[in-house]
């Protein structure tokens, strides 16, 4: 019997060789690990984050000293474009630099993000605004700077790193969770417009990953994986043309099921699981 295979929701990637990939949030954690993996696969990389020094270290490591601190491209090398995603003008400038250097972009991976636990008893609008500025407005800044270019090219893709924390309300995630829920919804809404235009849209929802972002968590993180494992899941998902790239499956599938429960069952279940 021939196994039933669903058609991929995005054009599959059969080779990364020479693919022009811009990773935003590449200075540490998931973004840096994905940069390392894609570099091994032969992709042409541009790396962004606020910390130019950290980007430079990674680029040096990746390109065997081929990288430059400025936005000068090296054939099959690594381009460094330090920026703050909350600065729309800086993001536009970086995208224009890449258009000049590369002539286009094949994949934009938005992996920038910040996290701060927040509960109702210490709700802080300023801190919440800062989280949403980076995690959500930052994504709009990147999309605003790149989607017109991708549409003009008639090919390419955008990938947004959301989180399973966006599936449904979780304790201590008063600002982070709603921001990630916004990114999930944003990817879904983008798909209607970009898929018919030949542009891929990847929604990436990791569970717990051991990075700087989760280092301060004071609880045992279930199904914790490494940034390298996360990068492998992301790259595998994009290669397969998946829209909904979530992992580790043993955790993300459970949360997907929990959100189907009626609220009167959902809340006690989450309290029991998290102990919060
Ligand atoms: N770790 C987890 O368990 C987990 C789970 C689900 C989703 N995620 C998401 O995965 C993404 C990557 O997080 P991570 O775990 O790899 O954490 P991380 O190691 O702290 O990496 C976050 C990256 O975002 C960059 N960044 C933060 N604010 C920025 C800004 N304003 N402008 C430009 N870049 C900025 C950071 O670089 P600079 O500080 O140098 O700017 C860094 O490169 C985030 O969106 C996070 O929400 C993480």
């Amino acid at each position: 019997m021939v196994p039933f295979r669903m058609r991929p929701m995005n054009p599959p990637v059969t080779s990364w060789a020479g693919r022009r990939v811009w990773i935003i949030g590449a200075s540490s954690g998931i973004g840096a690990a994905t940069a390392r993996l894609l570099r091994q696969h032969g992709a042409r990389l541009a790396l962004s984050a606020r910390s130019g020094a950290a980007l430079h270290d990674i680029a040096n490591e990746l390109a065997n000293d081929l990288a430059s601190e400025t936005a000068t491209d090296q054939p099959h090398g690594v381009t460094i474009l330090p920026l703050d995603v909350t600065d729309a003008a800086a993001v536009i400038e970086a995208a224009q630099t890449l258009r000049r250097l590369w002539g286009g972009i094949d994949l934009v991976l938005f992996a920038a993000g910040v996290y701060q636990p927040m509960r109702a008893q210490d709700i802080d609008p300023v801190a919440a605004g800062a989280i949403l500025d980076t995690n959500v407005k930052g994504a709009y800044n990147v999309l605003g700077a790149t989607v017109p270019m991708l549409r003009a090219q008639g090919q390419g893709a955008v990938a947004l790193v959301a989180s399973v924390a966006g599936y449904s309300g979780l304790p201590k995630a008063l600002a982070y969770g709603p921001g990630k829920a916004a990114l999930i919804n944003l990817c879904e809404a983008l798909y209607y417009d970009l898929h018919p235009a030949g542009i891929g849209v990847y929604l990436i929802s990791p569970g717990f990953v051991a990075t700087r972002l989760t280092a301060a968590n004071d609880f045992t993180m279930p199904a914790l994986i490494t940034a390298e494992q996360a990068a492998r899941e992301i790259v595998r998902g994009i290669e397969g043309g998946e829209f909904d790239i979530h992992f580790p499956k043993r955790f993300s599938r459970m949360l997907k099921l929990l959100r189907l429960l009626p609220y009167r069952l959902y809340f006690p279940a989450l309290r029991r699981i998290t102990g919060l």
Side-chain angles (χ1 to χ4, degrees):
M1 198 170 71
V2 181
F4 174 70
R5 270 182 197 275
M6 279 189 282
R7 208 146 38 113
M9 288 181 67
N10 288 305
V13 174
T14 50
S15 165
W16 290 99
R19 274 197 187 246
R20 301 158 299 181
V21 182
W22 184 16
I23 303 179
I24 299 136
S27 66
S28 67
I30 297 170
T34 307
R36 290 188 178 97
L37 186 56
L38 288 182
R39 177 75 185 146
Q40 284 167 21
H41 290 344
R44 202 171 175 190
L45 297 178
L47 310 180
S48 290
R50 289 166 302 180
S51 164
L55 292 176
H56 189 248
D57 288 347
I58 290 170
N60 268 341
E61 171 201 327
L62 297 183
N64 298 324
D65 295 327
L66 275 179
S68 157
E69 273 180 81
T70 55
T72 51
D73 195 34
Q74 309 286 340
H76 310 293
V78 179
T79 300
I80 303 165
L81 296 164
L83 55 78
D84 186 325
V85 293
T86 64
D87 180 348
V91 177
I92 290 170
E93 197 183 317
Q96 285 170 351
T97 300
L98 280 184
R99 182 163 44 191
R100 255 195 332 274
L101 291 172
W102 285 352
I105 302 176
D106 298 309
L107 172 66
V108 180
L109 172 61
F110 179 77
V114 288
Y115 167 71
Q116 180 190 320
M118 196 180 292
R119 307 205 68 164
Q121 45 272 44
D122 46 40
I123 191 160
D124 176 347
V126 175
I131 291 170
L132 294 172
D133 263 2
T134 299
N135 295 7
V136 182
K137 189 161 166 277
Y140 281 98
N141 286 341
V142 168
L143 292 171
T146 55
V147 166
M149 198 191 308
L150 300 180
R151 287 180 63 89
Q153 293 171 188
Q155 68 89 32
V158 293
L160 302 187
V161 180
S163 168
V164 297
Y167 285 174
S168 49
L170 297 179
K172 286 177 124 176
L174 229 60
Y176 184 77
K180 293 301 184 180
L183 290 192
I184 292 172
N185 196 297
L186 174 57
C187 280
E188 292 165 356
L190 277 172
Y191 192 79
Y192 294 108
D193 296 332
L194 296 187
H195 181 66
I199 316 293
V201 179
Y202 302 96
L203 163 61
I204 298 167
S205 303
F208 287 109
V209 184
T211 65
R212 192 177 67 175
L213 189 125
T214 48
N217 277 346
D218 57 358
F219 56 91
T220 307
M221 291 177 269
L224 183 69
I225 61 170
T226 64
E228 290 68 32
Q229 286 173 305
R232 282 198 291 277
E233 294 281 359
I234 290 170
V235 170
R236 195 172 23 231
I238 293 174
E239 286 172 350
E242 290 173 25
F243 168 77
D244 184 15
I245 302 171
H246 59 96
F247 53 85
K249 293 281 190 285
R250 62 188 187 281
F251 187 57
S252 53
R253 280 191 180 133
M254 180 190 72
L255 288 174
K256 275 176 180 278
L257 279 176
L258 283 171
R259 73 178 168 177
L260 298 177
L261 290 176
Y263 283 127
R264 68 176 63 251
L265 298 177
Y266 170 81
F267 288 121
L270 254 288
R271 273 194 205 286
R272 216 169 10 251
I273 290 165
T274 61
L276 293 166

